[in-house]
Amino acid sequence: MPLKQKDLLGIEGLDRSDIEHIIATADSLKEVSTRDIKKVPALRGKTIVNLFYEPSTRTRTSFELAGKRLSADVINMSVSTSSVVKGETLLDTVMNIEAMNSDIIIIRHSMSGAPSLIAKELKSSVINAGDGAHEHPTQALLDLYTIKERLGRTDGLKVAIVGDIAHSRVARSNILCLNKMGVEVRVCGPATLIPAGIEEMGVEVYYRPEEALKDVDAIMMLRIQMERQGSGLFPGVREYSRLFGLNEARVRLAKEGAIIMHPGPINRGVEISPAVADGPYSVILDQVTNGVAVRMAVLYLLSEGRA
Amino acid sequence: MPRVKARIMNKEAIDRALVRIAHEILERNNGTDGLALVGIRTGGVHLARRLAANINRIEGVDVPLGALDVTMYRDDLASRGKKMPLGKTDVTFSVKDMKVVLVDDVLYTGRTIRAALDSIMDLGRPQQIQLAVLLDRGHKELPITADYVGKNVPTSRKEAVKVLLTEEGGSDEVVIMDLEGGE
């Protein structure tokens, strides 16, 4: 069963059965990465272009490995070495890439909506690898896969997302995804980092982790973007860490066996203490492993729909 | 809707064929030494499990049993008719230097078996690969032949052969369906 759409622009365009189908496919593909020969020929002869206008190691590497484990040819383009520095527009860049017969373009861009803009102009499938504060769908899918793998279900679970909700595409995609899967979502952070009206997305808002973490099944910590320090949104990193950082005492408020998640990169000792990040309930590295499987599933299912 | 044209094997016939194939596998391989069964999803997995049970009844030995999903190795990505969800490849033993018997329900064009051969080779280098099928319906498109056959059934390309097994909620029978009028 291919996906119904040409592109993966966000969780918003998926329904629950699409999400379940992607997760089930990822679960089958995970085994490939455990083999001696970590490769299957499914996408042999397909060309995938990684087009990253923002820095990334995890997501770009993860997509690159996912493509290569399916035998596709993967090209990486980063802005600093491309014609963008010579003033080429986004659309011109992607039209030129497509003129070289690309099949899938994976894009990360600081502007919300950039992936959907290029998807309209291209025959290639477009995958959103993060656009501004809008969406990061494969992150939400790999988070969901990790939750399902660890906790065995999604319906009726409680998940708290803690940190800079306002600027986080990871939070947005996760809220959309978890809601569709029957999870009760709580968000928590300083009032300045919680967007007004977020309740309308179907979440409960908390300003104190002591309340937000009570009896949750999973805690998702978000990276506090150091770039925002001094922006006036929160007084300082040390205060943030004291009020919102995840330490062992706060973990104990959650349900017994609750899992600790983080999309990375982590700021040790800021939003998460090293003891928690490396502790027995942390699934942060499982998320990374599952990320490759989920991206293989997305690449495969979109290709299946193209032929 | 496709219409059932003929029932060509019932439960007893399937059971007898699988007992005979189990004996043939043991005879040809001089017992169970280095022997492994790998079923091709989905029908072949159930048949491989039944063959393993038969071998256990005859020799008292559990041979390694695996399952293969060959979707990622097919040459017809996206163009194949049935859109099955991707299954897991589950071969937990090393196939290196083993005598691997691939098990499938129906041998038709041979393309599934070609994919299975590539898939197995990526997991390791078996000493031998053999093929057991419940039905050989003809119309091969590749030079691939089964070593063990439950029943040879000459069919037309306008027909479909379905193996209905209890494991899948069926009734343990093999039927020929008419595809005329479209599926």
Side-chain angles (χ1 to χ4, degrees), chain A residues 22-270:
Chain A
I22 294 170
I23 302 295
T25 305
D27 195 37
S28 293
L29 286 170
K30 191 175 176 182
E31 169 265 337
V32 173
S33 297
T34 65
R35 298 183 188 175
D36 282 344
I37 301 172
K38 302 181 205 23
K39 216 182 219 343
V40 292
L43 299 193
R44 201 159 58 96
K46 303 275 185 247
T47 302
I48 298 174
V49 178
N50 255 333
L51 183 59
F52 276 63
Y53 284 85
E54 274 189 348
S56 160
T57 42
R58 203 174 338 265
T59 306
R60 190 185 54 71
T61 310
S62 181
F63 268 115
E64 183 177 354
L65 280 176
K68 286 182 169 169
R69 288 189 183 159
L70 292 170
S71 302
D73 297 311
V74 185
I75 310 295
N76 287 312
M77 290 185 60
S78 59
V79 175
S80 55
T81 55
S82 73
S83 295
V84 175
V85 293
K86 299 179 188 166
E88 191 175 52
T89 68
L90 173 60
L91 275 179
D92 282 329
T93 302
V94 294
M95 304 280 259
N96 275 276
I97 291 171
E98 183 156 278
M100 292 183 247
N101 298 94
S102 58
D103 296 288
I104 300 180
I105 294 180
I106 299 158
I107 180 169
R108 167 167 290 189
H109 202 283
S110 56
M111 299 292 284
S112 300
S116 111
L117 173 78
I118 68 167
K120 282 191 206 97
E121 300 296 324
L122 296 178
K123 287 190 282 296
S124 304
S125 290
V126 174
I127 298 175
N128 180 2
D131 60 333
H134 178 225
E135 280 228 45
H136 189 357
T138 56
Q139 179 70 43
L141 291 166
L142 75 89
D143 287 342
L144 183 80
Y145 177 29
T146 308
I147 290 173
K148 220 172 165 182
E149 187 181 58
R150 282 308 185 107
L151 303 176
R153 66 193 171 102
T154 57
D155 280 298
L157 293 181
K158 295 189 185 73
V159 174
I161 307 177
V162 183
D164 182 354
I165 309 294
H167 300 97
S168 174
R169 55 196 175 211
V170 174
R172 243 187 82 80
S173 286
N174 260 309
I175 291 168
L176 290 167
C177 187
L178 292 168
N179 271 339
K180 285 176 204 257
M181 299 302 293
V183 176
E184 182 189 316
V185 184
R186 303 170 175 185
V187 297
C188 177
T192 47
L193 296 179
I194 305 254
I198 184 106
E199 297 87 348
E200 282 159 37
M201 284 187 81
V203 299
E204 285 177 66
V205 177
Y206 293 81
Y207 300 104
R208 284 167 44 83
E210 283 69 24
E211 291 158 18
L213 301 184
K214 212 167 219 167
D215 297 323
V216 295
D217 300 276
I219 304 171
M220 273 183 196
M221 297 307 293
L222 298 176
R223 184 174 75 94
I224 195 73
Q225 292 162 315
M226 296 296 215
E227 310 86 273
R228 298 202 196 285
Q229 206 192 345
S231 60
L233 292 170
F234 59 96
V237 166
R238 281 174 63 187
E239 190 197 79
Y240 179 86
S241 176
R242 193 159 43 79
L243 291 176
F244 293 96
L246 191 63
N247 52 32
E248 286 172 298
R250 288 190 176 133
V251 169
R252 279 193 284 274
L253 297 169
K255 204 172 274 176
E256 171 111 36
I259 56 173
I260 315 295
M261 311 175 75
H262 193 302
I266 64 175
N267 293 313
R268 281 176 181 272
V270 181

Side-chain angles (χ1 to χ4, degrees), chain A residues 27-29 35 41-42 300 304 307, chain B residues 71-73 78 80 86-88:
Chain A
D27 195 37
S28 293
L29 286 170
R35 298 183 188 175
Y300 170 69
E304 206 186 19
Chain B
T71 311
M72 304 313 261
Y73 288 83
R80 72 215 148 92
L86 190 65
K88 271 187 191 171

Side-chain angles (χ1 to χ4, degrees), chain B residues 98 100-102 117 120-121 126-131 147:
Chain B
M98 298 286 276
V100 174
V101 181
L102 284 174
L117 291 171
I120 280 282
M121 299 292 197
Q127 187 203 94
Q128 272 187 43
I129 301 179
Q130 301 164 9
L131 174 62
D147 302 275

Side-chain angles (χ1 to χ4, degrees), chain B residues 7 15 25 37 49 58 91 118-119 166 172:
Chain B
R7 294 172 203 280
D15 286 346
I25 290 172
L37 299 180
R49 198 173 294 125
I58 300 162
V91 178
D118 283 351
S119 174
T166 49
D172 266 357

